[in-house]
DNA sequence: ACCCAAAAGTTGTTCCTTCAACCAATGTCC
DNA sequence: GGACATTGGTTGAAGGAACAACTTTTGGGT
């Protein structure tokens, strides 16, 4: 910002909202991660990967598709799937239609783990986020988040998630 | 959750709110980090450390106090302050009152950097978060965040920030 | 005075993420 | 139908964060 346009600082209401919201963003991810790590030995990202697979047809997705749904880079996903494969939660096999592509599929063990883990995770989300809000506030939060998403993700890559689907998924 | 109490799943409204909110939490930190890294060569955490010092009397804080304000562990803070000290943005000196303690103080260069950087950062926060919201929604966001904070941080360690104070700070 | 527990920081190790380089398969354009 | 760019994915090394172990200083108890 070289051309120093006298900054519009935050007024008290804006500042109050931003500071609180920033504090939530600081604390909530760690809290969710801690619960999953404790109860299932999974990072939040690990769990999310499994959850996305659990929602997919055949419990299978191409790596690229999975990366988009989880908002991850391909290298990151590759490493994580390596780890999950080592634990027998996921298996990889070449995609029949495209020789370049790889499919990731949830194993039975992986599915079982998601099914075991989802209830506790939902309970945590409820406890930390939703239960403190009124019905009205839940609706307000949805609209506010939508407004932010319009700025953060104009292309709507993450919108895939915001549709109806299968059972455990939950995230 | 062994005692398997048939889980209260999220209803459509709750699910809609949570998915959108989770997407925001996924994207926003990275966006803020990217802007600061590009314009000032600082991670968001780095910037936050400097900002907290810039608000403190004498631009000085004990490591422990700084760690609380930034929600960091002491080891993490120690490493980061090492780096910032190497760049001449912060200096450390033993605390006169307590031989165990160390004080961290913002240098002149550090102060200058915060002053240069703050406007662009505020502009980014405005653009990504606040400008998309109505005045009413800004107030709603503050109240909603407060409700979550009551669950996430019952002790209110981060509440220190939610008070009025000096100029550049901004975060 | 002395001992022992707790507090304040630092250092080192490990794990995770990101970045860059790389390989293989596909598709395209003369 | 052969060269070249593109897509899909993996791998290895480098930078950051969490956790554990280790000093040093303080303070309380006897």
């Amino acid at each position: 910002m070289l051309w120093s346009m006298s900054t519009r600082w935050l007024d008290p209401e804006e500042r109050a909202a931003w500071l609180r919201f920033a504090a939530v963003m600081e604390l909530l991810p760690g809290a969710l991660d801690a619960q999953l790590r404790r109860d299932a030995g999974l990072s939040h990202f690990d769990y999310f990967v499994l959850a996305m697979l659990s929602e997919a047809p055949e419990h299978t997705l191409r790596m690229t598709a999975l990366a988009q749904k989880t908002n991850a880079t391909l290298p990151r996903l590759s490493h994580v799937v390596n780890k999950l494969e080592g634990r027998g939660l996921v298996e990889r096999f070449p995609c029949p239609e495209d020789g370049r592509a790889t499919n990731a599929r949830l194993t039975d063990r992986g599915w079982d783990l998601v099914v075991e883990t989802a209830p506790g995770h939902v309970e945590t989300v409820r406890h930390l986020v939703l239960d403190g809000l009124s019905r009205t506030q839940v609706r307000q939060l949805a609209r506010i988040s939508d407004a932010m998403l319009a700025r953060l993700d104009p292309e709507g890559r993450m919108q895939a998630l915001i549709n109806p689907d299968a059972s455990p998924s939950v995230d």
Side-chain angles (χ1 to χ4, degrees), chain A:
Chain A
M1 297 279 169
L2 289 169
W3 13 273
S4 155
M5 44 188 283
S6 61
T7 311
R8 289 185 302 149
W9 296 99
L10 304 185
D11 67 42
E13 281 188 346
E14 290 172 325
R15 184 175 162 83
W18 169 243
L19 288 178
R20 286 166 172 78
F21 181 56
V24 169
M25 288 204 316
E26 182 71 31
L27 297 175
L28 186 48
L32 295 177
D33 211 74
Q35 179 262 322
L36 284 168
R37 221 173 266 281
R38 178 166 46 75
D39 295 351
L42 295 171
S43 73
H44 181 73
F45 183 72
D46 294 340
Y47 174 76
F48 201 68
V49 167
L50 299 182
M52 289 306 105
L53 285 175
S54 78
E55 288 186 0
E58 308 288 326
H59 296 171
T60 302
L61 283 173
R62 305 253 282 247
M63 291 294 283
T64 302
L66 189 51
Q68 287 194 197
K69 280 193 197 284
T70 57
N71 190 39
T73 61
L74 219 28
R76 179 183 183 190
L77 182 63
S78 184
H79 281 133
V80 169
V81 170
N82 261 337
K83 192 184 58 179
L84 296 176
E85 196 171 24
R87 291 177 56 180
L89 303 174
V90 168
E91 54 193 358
R92 261 187 291 207
F93 60 97
C95 174
E97 294 94 355
D98 186 335
R100 298 167 293 182
T102 306
N103 281 334
R105 178 169 49 208
L106 207 56
T107 63
D108 291 348
R109 277 200 70 242
W111 169 259
D112 290 348
L113 183 58
V114 173
V115 170
E116 281 172 26
T117 304
H121 183 56
V122 179
E123 221 37 67
T124 306
V125 169
R126 271 200 181 292
H127 177 247
L128 293 178
V129 176
L130 296 170
D131 280 352
L133 307 181
S134 70
R135 203 15 82 158
T136 303
Q137 285 179 313
V138 170
R139 279 190 288 264
Q140 290 170 355
L141 178 59
R143 300 216 55 213
I144 289 170
S145 300
D146 255 340
M148 294 186 197
L149 277 181
R151 313 288 191 113
L152 287 166
D153 182 22
E155 318 309 325
R157 290 178 318 158
M158 298 211 74
Q159 310 291 343
L161 309 175
I162 299 176
N163 288 324
D165 28 38
S167 25
S169 78
V170 177
D171 214 320

